Amino acid sequence: MTEEKFDAIVIGAGMAGNAAAYTMASRGLKVLQLERGEYPGSKNVQGAIMYSNMLEKIIPDFRDDAPLERHLVEQRFWMMDDTSHVGMQYRSDDFNESRPNRYTVIRAQFDKWFSRQVREAGATVLCETTVTELARDADGKVIGVHTDRTGDVILADVVVLAEGVNGLLGTRAGLRETPKPETVALAVKEMHFLPEEVIDQRFGLKANEGCVIEAAGTISRSMAGLAFLYTNKESISIGIGCLVSDFAATMESPYDLLENFKNHPSVRPLIADSEVKEYAAHLIPEGGYKAIPQLFGNGWVVAGDAAQLNNAVHREGSNLAMTSGRLAGEAILQVKKRGDPMIKENLALYKSKLDKSFVIKDLRKYKDMPALLHTNSRNFFTTYPQLLSQAAQNFMRVDSTPKLDKERATTAAFVKERSRWGLVSDAVRLAFAWR
């Protein structure tokens, strides 16, 4: 292998890496993909949401054999305090379409399937292989990689770094800074197994329909965080994540947060009598547009979580990863077709493609939102949920108290917290962040 030279080496076999490798290999490039796990997906035991529009652009007929769990017909948003939740939900039979828009998947199974498509497209895929260093020529251009399999250089015209948010290769090579604790979240997740018919009954589902619940509030103990619950065919993925900087400042235990969420009165009945078989922790980029590093250089590009391409406001990641991987592959193909060298000036085409896509447009639009939520986390994740719960309970509890008195009590509580925590200021800044 050390005597071979590849058109491209892709580091990582997640959503972004597989998308890049498939895009290039399926169009004739000689591609080597390197994955440090035992197999693609071995480090991703959790469930996830997969967005079909983005995968269709890569593998149009993926529905024929991809390991899909349930297509989503319902989304619930909960604002929780310690004993209740105020919710909003949307459910539509329109999502029972022939080509559904969103699916739940189990990453260990899905990534393995995606990697098989990469192999069948002609790429060479090596697992249990860690890239230890990028190889450079005398001018500093990346010309290949060193691995723990051999000390020799494996040569390539270009290297695609899709190693994930905590990948060390790019930082060691000086291509990007180590992600800051305030731009990365730590999510802990469990898989709870139940019979398919039990899940259907508890969530009001049928015939492979799925439901997603996303929740925020006092469950994160004043930290910026989000909890979630995804329905799979015979399991429920449940988890919670908060900023690494908040965990460090508060010394809260991620496991304790998850246990608290699981035992909340609104959640406990949904997972009752389930069998827990898997537990995992995962880092998620949360910095948004302002945390995106340099995306291309002489002989290299970076995609997916390694590029901080995650839309935390809309809880979207896999679609940005797949799209960035595809666009990286397409840019490399165009440079190769022109016969141009894989230098920084030519690989800028990748950034140009990203800028024109929804990926950068969405991240740029909400560039101020992550900082607003993170710096005012007590308001958004404690005060507001408690006020909403109090207002809802005052409205629903019928007793001899006059309605006007209840309204005054609710207003007084809001005014008190407004003066204490600056709620009006938050509302104004939130409106501007969404504009």
Side-chain angles (χ1 to χ4, degrees), residues 315-334:
R315 291 91 46 216
E316 296 176 8
S318 65
N319 53 338
L320 282 74
M322 286 189 289
T323 299
S324 64
R326 173 178 62 83
L327 293 178
E330 290 178 353
I332 291 168
L333 280 161
Q334 287 183 234

Side-chain angles (χ1 to χ4, degrees), residues 88-331:
M88 178 181 74
Q89 68 187 70
Y90 180 74
R91 181 179 181 129
S92 175
D93 194 54
D94 292 344
F95 292 126
N96 284 314
E97 52 201 336
S98 59
R99 300 167 67 85
N101 178 252
R102 299 188 302 163
Y103 297 88
T104 54
V105 297
I106 297 174
R107 285 290 301 275
Q109 300 172 10
F110 184 84
D111 289 5
K112 193 181 295 185
W113 168 86
F114 206 163
S115 180
R116 188 165 62 249
Q117 312 310 306
V118 172
R119 285 191 177 92
E120 292 175 358
T124 300
V125 180
L126 290 181
C127 296
E128 297 183 283
T129 304
T130 300
V131 177
T132 57
E133 186 181 2
L134 295 176
R136 301 174 187 263
D137 65 14
D139 297 322
K141 180 182 181 296
V142 173
I143 58 171
V145 301
H146 295 276
T147 74
D148 60 355
R149 283 178 174 255
T150 173
D152 296 329
V153 177
I154 304 175
L155 298 173
D157 292 331
V158 63
V159 174
V160 179
L161 289 93
E163 55 180 341
V165 65
N166 59 331
L168 298 177
L169 187 63
T171 55
R172 282 202 301 256
L175 306 183
R176 62 188 179 105
E177 295 181 357
T178 301
K180 298 177 181 178
E182 60 268 25
T183 66
V184 179
L186 173 64
V188 289
K189 313 176 183 186
E190 289 181 350
M191 296 285 283
H192 288 243
F193 286 79
L194 286 165
E196 183 175 355
E197 59 273 15
V198 173
I199 295 175
D200 289 346
Q201 181 181 27
R202 290 182 182 179
F203 291 86
L205 305 170
K206 65 181 189 306
N208 294 320
E209 291 178 341
C211 173
V212 166
I213 298 174
E214 294 176 322
T218 61
I219 49 173
S220 62
R221 298 177 183 171
S222 295
M223 296 185 290
L226 184 79
F228 58 87
L229 189 155
Y230 305 151
T231 56
N232 306 311
K233 284 183 181 178
E234 296 181 327
S235 65
I236 294 172
S237 304
I238 186 169
I240 188 169
C242 297
L243 289 179
V244 171
S245 57
D246 283 349
F247 279 126
T250 63
M251 300 302 292
E252 291 281 1
S253 163
Y255 178 78
D256 287 347
L257 289 188
L258 180 56
E259 285 298 303
N260 184 55
F261 179 56
K262 287 161 47 181
N263 286 292
H264 191 280
S266 298
V267 177
R268 189 168 56 245
L270 299 176
I271 59 173
D273 302 319
S274 62
E275 181 181 4
V276 183
K277 292 186 178 181
E278 296 174 351
Y279 175 86
H282 181 60
L283 290 174
I284 303 171
E286 294 279 325
Y289 180 78
K290 294 181 179 180
I292 298 174
Q294 177 69 28
L295 296 175
F296 61 95
N298 286 320
W300 61 272
V301 298
V302 59
D305 282 2
Q308 288 274 338
L309 299 178
N310 181 70
N311 188 333
V313 176
H314 291 272
R315 291 91 46 216
E316 296 176 8
S318 65
N319 53 338
L320 282 74
M322 286 189 289
T323 299
S324 64
R326 173 178 62 83
L327 293 178
E330 290 178 353

